[in-house]
Amino acid sequence: MDMSDNRRIEAPREVVWAALNDPDVLKACIPGCESVEKTGENELEAKVTLKIGPVKASFTGKVTLSNIDPPNGYTISGEGQGGVAGHARGGADVRLEADGDATILHYTVRAEVGGKIAQLGSRLIDSTAKKLAGEFFENFGEAVAPSAEEAGEEGEKPKGKWWKLGRA
């Protein structure tokens, strides 16, 4: 499965970059995510529980960041095991483009699934992947972008909900 899209995030590129590299933000934004832990300089380990059609499975996997070009983007790749449900492997190229006070996040995702989930058919898998990507970016946009109340007085730098997670 391949999928490309872009999303406008109402926050400066540096804020979006920092959030994309923060395990707490990722955990809060990834649908079904139970944990994200940094295990190395450019490595993370995650546990996610997903329902794809009639199959519900917990996936544990390792994620590696490469081609890192702060604050412009990176390549993220990973592999996860879902027990009897199967496995998933894939990656995404993420590119951030400044657009005034906002950021355009471009992504191209490649994924392969195997085992029981692969038997569900590509239509169901593709529609589920698009739905999950949409949920992630909606959550991410809300976590990173400031709300009207948080924008503060004129001249102040706005801070998104992400900053409430203990970041300054």
Side-chain angles (χ1 to χ4, degrees):
M1 174 204 63
D2 292 338
M3 179 174 50
S4 293
D5 203 354
N6 63 65
R7 297 289 177 118
R8 181 180 175 86
I9 309 288
E10 296 299 328
R13 183 168 60 168
E14 290 74 18
V15 171
V16 174
W17 173 258
L20 280 174
N21 287 280
D22 186 307
D24 292 334
V25 175
L26 295 175
K27 180 184 176 208
C29 297
I30 297 170
C33 187
E34 296 171 24
S35 67
V36 175
E37 295 177 21
K38 194 168 185 163
T39 57
E41 187 176 338
N42 298 319
E43 294 181 355
L44 302 166
E45 193 167 288
K47 183 172 183 181
V48 178
T49 299
L50 296 173
K51 186 166 174 30
I52 304 170
V55 178
K56 182 177 180 179
S58 290
F59 290 88
T60 54
K62 294 188 183 282
V63 177
T64 304
L65 305 178
S66 58
N67 302 322
I68 300 169
D69 180 18
N72 301 309
Y74 56 48
T75 298
I76 184 169
S77 54
E79 197 169 325
Q81 297 295 325
V84 295
H87 65 275
R89 175 181 31 230
D93 293 316
V94 178
R95 186 172 55 85
L96 302 178
E97 175 187 344
D99 186 24
D101 288 338
T103 303
I104 306 297
L105 188 151
H106 302 270
Y107 64 92
T108 302
V109 176
R110 300 162 308 285
E112 299 173 25
V113 295
K116 199 175 199 178
I117 29 179
Q119 297 171 1
L120 295 173
S122 62
R123 257 194 211 155
L124 180 59
I125 293 168
D126 288 353
S127 67
T128 301
K130 287 178 183 167
K131 177 182 171 231
L132 293 171
E135 287 178 23
F136 170 80
F137 285 109
E138 183 176 326
N139 295 342
F140 187 78
E142 288 175 7
V144 176
S147 69
E149 300 147 8
E150 294 168 321
E153 302 287 323
E154 194 173 321
E156 280 185 37
K157 289 245 183 217
K159 294 181 180 177
K161 294 175 188 169
W162 172 62
W163 296 104
K164 291 181 180 179
L165 295 173
R167 307 296 181 239

